[in-house]
Amino acid sequence: MIAGTFEGRYVWHPAADDHELAQACVDVQAGHYHSALAVLEDAREDFGLRAHRSLVLASITADSDLAERRLAEEPSADAALLWARVAMLRALRMADAGDARADSLVRIAQAACDQAALMAPQDPTPWVARLALARIDRPHDPAPRGMLTAPRGPWVLFSRALTLDPFNREAHHRFLAFYFARHGGSASARWDVVEFLSNRAPAGSPVRLLPLVARVEDYDPRADPLADRIWEQHRCRSLALDIYRHWFPKVADYRFTPVVDLAYLAHALLMAECQQQARTVLAAMGPYASRMPWSAFGAPEEQLTRARRRCRLPVPGAD
């Protein structure tokens, strides 16, 4: 899908140009859930789309009892998945806030994920949601052979998701997040995982973007005054150009614009002084914007506007 043209303002809504999902979000906010389950049912054969839609819908419904009520009133695989996603988000939010209720919410979320997996055994998304919870209860399964540091982690859950969808985008991101420093991971384990996972992925897979995510996660100019220069190194620049050549052309076939992935790629290209390619990627995003990766470097809107200006693209407020 090609995003719409930029018309003078950013659109921050996570549904982006998935218009059916955006309408379902409006309906959910009005207390109606039928369209939410309809868009999940429509995505049953597209696991990437199903993961995206279920996560966005969960973010809209997490502060209400809509998902629980729907599952109780009319159990279905789609209702179970929505409840699993809602329970997952609630547990993660409580854990991040240091709330004492986090442990009980994790158990509720794990049970919800297990129920969703039983109701849709071919869907990897419930296992992806279960994997997201791993950064709270910290499983330490042994790593597969061939890794330099053999980092322990949620390998069993990860393998269950990959059995159903070998290069599932969100599963890889959730697994990598387990090794983020803010979740208790180490740099050596994190980069061992990044290399292991991204090198196994096909050239046109979004999994290839994992090093870009890890690089932003590690960004700390206080510890390294030259942190901005790392994207200019040959290896980083070559990786960004390789992703641009092999993954970026496939975006036109997506059913929604993958705004976050495009933003990471545009940022990496711009930092690597590949301005022409960065301009193309930013233009492909149309008006749609995401908080990451821009918020790692300052106020997201200011950083995105700065990037667009460098690429001579229109920005909000320009005449």
Side-chain angles (χ1 to χ4, degrees):
M1 179 178 288
I2 303 299
T5 57
F6 182 82
E7 296 181 352
R9 66 183 182 88
Y10 299 131
V11 177
W12 296 91
H13 197 287
D17 54 351
D18 186 339
H19 302 301
E20 293 175 349
L21 175 59
Q23 183 58 55
C25 290
V26 173
D27 293 344
V28 164
Q29 289 173 320
H32 307 301
Y33 48 71
H34 295 291
S35 59
L37 299 185
V39 298
L40 292 180
E41 182 178 8
D42 176 58
R44 282 188 179 179
E45 303 302 320
D46 185 336
F47 297 138
L49 182 64
R50 189 168 172 83
H52 168 67
R53 286 181 167 180
S54 61
L55 187 58
V56 171
L57 287 167
S59 70
I60 299 296
T61 60
D63 294 327
S64 73
D65 65 349
L66 190 65
E68 299 99 309
R69 285 195 293 110
R70 182 64 184 92
L71 182 59
E73 291 170 4
E74 190 177 340
S76 68
D78 300 315
L81 176 61
L82 183 56
W83 165 232
R85 289 296 227 173
V86 166
M88 175 204 83
L89 284 182
R90 289 176 181 170
L92 293 176
R93 289 174 181 176
M94 286 295 181
D96 290 344
D99 195 294
R101 295 170 291 175
D103 288 343
S104 62
L105 289 179
V106 167
R107 290 192 291 273
I108 292 171
Q110 289 172 335
C113 293
D114 291 345
Q115 181 184 12
L118 285 172
M119 296 184 74
Q122 301 306 313
D123 184 3
T125 320
W127 292 103
V128 172
R130 188 82 149 72
L131 182 60
L133 299 168
R135 66 176 172 86
I136 303 175
D137 58 1
R138 308 297 296 176
H140 279 67
D141 311 323
R145 293 181 179 180
M147 300 187 69
L148 185 64
T149 64
R152 289 180 171 266
W155 290 98
V156 173
L157 287 173
F158 188 46
S159 65
R160 290 296 298 268
L162 299 195
T163 298
L164 298 170
D165 187 17
F167 299 104
N168 185 282
R169 179 203 176 275
E170 188 182 341
H172 283 78
H173 280 264
R174 295 293 186 183
F175 188 73
L176 175 59
F178 180 89
Y179 299 95
F180 284 171
R182 55 192 163 100
H183 298 152
S186 68
S188 59
R190 181 164 54 258
W191 283 99
D192 200 4
V193 166
V194 165
E195 295 292 336
F196 181 73
L197 298 182
S198 61
N199 289 339
R200 290 172 63 248
S205 169
V207 174
R208 289 281 186 159
L209 281 84
L210 288 180
L212 307 186
V213 175
R215 188 65 65 196
V216 170
E217 184 68 23
D218 285 358
Y219 178 74
D220 186 359
R222 294 169 299 180
D224 180 6
L226 299 179
D228 287 345
R229 304 298 298 272
I230 197 165
W231 282 271
E232 298 175 23
Q233 295 177 2
H234 175 74
R235 187 177 183 186
C236 294
R237 187 175 189 274
S238 296
L239 173 64
L241 289 171
D242 186 66
I243 295 168
Y244 176 80
R245 285 191 294 267
H246 294 102
W247 171 74
F248 177 63
K250 296 182 179 297
V251 171
D253 297 327
Y254 281 37
R255 289 180 64 183
F256 67 98
T257 298
V259 179
V260 175
D261 286 345
L262 288 171
Y264 272 100
L265 178 56
H267 170 265
L269 289 167
L270 197 59
M271 295 290 280
E273 301 296 334
C274 300
Q275 192 165 310
Q276 180 180 348
Q277 292 86 350
R279 175 187 171 91
T280 303
V281 176
L282 286 169
M285 292 166 60
Y288 302 105
S290 62
R291 190 180 70 85
M292 290 297 288
W294 313 110
S295 63
F297 304 87
E301 183 165 353
E302 291 178 7
Q303 293 297 315
L304 176 55
T305 295
R306 182 180 300 176
R308 290 181 64 89
R309 280 198 178 115
R310 280 187 62 187
C311 292
R312 298 181 180 179
L313 289 170
V315 299
D319 294 332

